[in-house]
Amino acid sequence: MTVSDDSLDRGDAGDRGGSGGPVSPEAISHIASLARLQVPDTEVAALSQHFSRILDFVDKLEEVDVDGVAPTLHPAISLDQARPDVPEPTRGLAMNPDQAEVGAEVAVERVAANAPDADGACFLVPRVVDAPADRSTRENNDSASTP
Amino acid sequence: MTTLGSVTTLQRKIAAGEIGVTAALEPFLRQLERIDDRVGGLLESFPDQAMKCAREADQRLAGGAPARALEGVPFTAKGNICTRVGSTNAGSQLLRGFRSPYDATAVARLLEAGAILVGKTNLDEFGMGSSCENSSFQPTRNPWDLERVPGGSSGGAAALAGALGASFHLGSDTGGSIRQPAALCGATGFKPTYGAVSRYGLLAFGSSLDQIGPLARTAEDCELIVRVMSGADPFDATSLSEPLETSTGQRRLGIPREYFVDSIDAEVRERVLAGIQTLEQLGYEVREVSLPHTEYANACYQVISTAEASSNLARYDGVHYGVRAEAASATADSTPLTALYRESRGQGFGAEVRRRVLLGTFVLSAGHCEAYYQRALRVRTRIREDFERVFEEVDALVCPTSPIPPFRLGERVTDPLALYACDILTVSANLAGIPGVSIPCGSDEDGLPVGLQILGPAGGDLGVLAIAQEFQSETSHHELLPDWVRGEQP
């Protein structure tokens, strides 16, 4: 998907710049599409309001002097879990002692059992690969919509 | 006053042969059911399975096997912690009926130590909330006032821990989700150092913030439980390999002035200050300290936690788990597959989860990532540095857990920002990865519990719990039970 940054601006003015201002309903719909999340039309206005409020609240962070400060991505004291570089059979579901004999096939079955639609070890989804004729149509459409 | 049995006492009695596992479990399960009928903390319970485990434990013991660290102790797991028994739905319609193929490492270690899983507890959907009202399945009520919330997101665990002895309840804490409900329900709730307990099998919300911990009656019980659960786990690369350090000679306590601002309820402040006096009488040296970036913690948390959530929750797509939207239809700008993602997620996630996923997507999106997410990560460093500096001066910090007593159901649910304000005193510990415990320190005029929070440096888990234990050895707030519960103790 082609994402135009312009459509993410909070307001019509475009420049965030810490000045607050509303987040447009169009921006909400665009974010929803990025998040693969359907938002009912009736909720867009309320979300737009919520976003404006919370971003005004979050703008407080601009008061902090963070020049030259390194980001903290993670608080872990040490990440020293590397094991010796020796091949080890995957244990998968066998972490529980009484499951030690569970074979890979059973494990896959148990995982697939949670899927809304599965066939043995395969997850079933709607068709994602177009027939050749359709594909050329789509590619044309895509290129038409991309500057 | 009724003195409740603790986990420690129950285990000792079972180990000494004073009571059998089955004999102890049976009345407990009856009491659990009676209490849960009123508070609604359980999403599911497993009485038959639990009794079967108890009979097996009795047989083992009769055969001469030594009693294990948590032999015969009943416990529940929050609905976002994987257990092979029952379902793990995270309080979400989207995961309705999900059955984990494995146990979380924390759960597996508890079971191996002889603890008995009796149920799964209610929560705000995926851990997102501070009142348990965001559960897709049911509200949970505060045992001290059934018209009030138990706090959240580990609200089911807290409601049970606030009303039941001789058991414990596993929760998870991303921004205060163990400590805040523990405070609101009069329980003891402990969030360990980030990485002290493996997160394997905990449904991820904010991966750099999440931590599993216990809610129980006493800090002594919390220590016993954490000792069993903690330690390196090959299934979680962020689990710490260092064993928990034994604490020694921690006598210097800091009172962070930023945790006593005007927005703190007057009675909460008063009870916490009285608790600090108790600690002074116990010989602790108390001094005021400053954590100057505290006022930015909640904004920082909103950005980082939603960013991580938007990424973590991308896995709920209507394909691999849970519920798929029926008849998702392609539109001009989507294929049948993206339509399936959108509609399954849109229908499966509740309003608060949708809000947070969208906000997280926004703060990570091109054009905004630098202004919001990258900046928040740098502010996070400032917050962490505040703690590091202060812990050179003092061994632990003492402050309120929740700025307010439990509020009424429905009172804050319509205003997300009012609800986020419940976390202002707890989120910093998650951002810095440090341990914190909430212990009861009295009640307000309405008889509602007030929690006192003790925070320590990373790795100082046992030090924090030692201070809490000393406080509890001198006070009886943690032994109090609501009247209606007390009348029904077997």
Side-chain angles (χ1 to χ4, degrees), chain A residues 79-85, chain B residues 237:
Chain A
L79 291 172
D80 57 354
Q81 295 297 302
R83 61 173 170 79
D85 189 15

Side-chain angles (χ1 to χ4, degrees), chain B residues 35-108:
Chain B
I35 286 174
D36 195 59
D37 278 349
R38 308 281 284 276
V39 300
L42 288 171
L43 290 170
E44 238 181 313
S45 63
F46 321 118
D48 298 339
Q49 179 99 9
M51 284 304 288
K52 182 169 165 273
C53 293
R55 284 189 294 273
E56 284 167 10
D58 277 333
Q59 277 169 11
R60 276 173 45 94
L61 294 170
R68 295 166 289 178
L70 290 168
E71 193 73 63
V73 177
F75 79 105
T76 65
K78 187 175 174 179
N80 61 352
I81 298 175
C82 287
T83 55
R84 276 182 294 148
V85 177
S87 65
T88 301
N89 59 39
S92 181
Q93 287 296 344
L94 193 141
L95 275 185
R96 198 176 59 220
F98 174 76
R99 300 184 76 82
S100 172
Y102 59 87
D103 287 326
T105 297
V107 170

Side-chain angles (χ1 to χ4, degrees), chain A residues 42-125:
Chain A
T42 50
E43 282 184 20
V44 171
L47 276 167
S48 150
Q49 238 179 0
H50 171 72
F51 258 59
S52 300
R53 280 186 72 200
I54 192 147
L55 291 176
D56 284 346
F57 170 67
V58 163
D59 280 344
K60 198 178 174 56
L61 295 177
E62 290 177 15
E63 295 169 15
V64 184
D65 177 12
V66 292
D67 279 354
V69 176
T72 295
L73 281 153
H74 223 267
I77 300 171
S78 58
L79 291 172
D80 57 354
Q81 295 297 302
R83 61 173 170 79
D85 189 15
V86 179
E88 197 178 287
T90 304
R91 282 184 292 163
L93 302 185
M95 68 161 299
N96 302 130
D98 58 330
Q99 282 192 318
E101 300 79 34
V102 170
E105 278 169 36
V106 178
V108 169
E109 269 171 35
R110 286 186 192 172
V111 170
N114 279 301
D117 200 1
D119 181 5
C122 297
F123 296 110
L124 297 183
V125 294

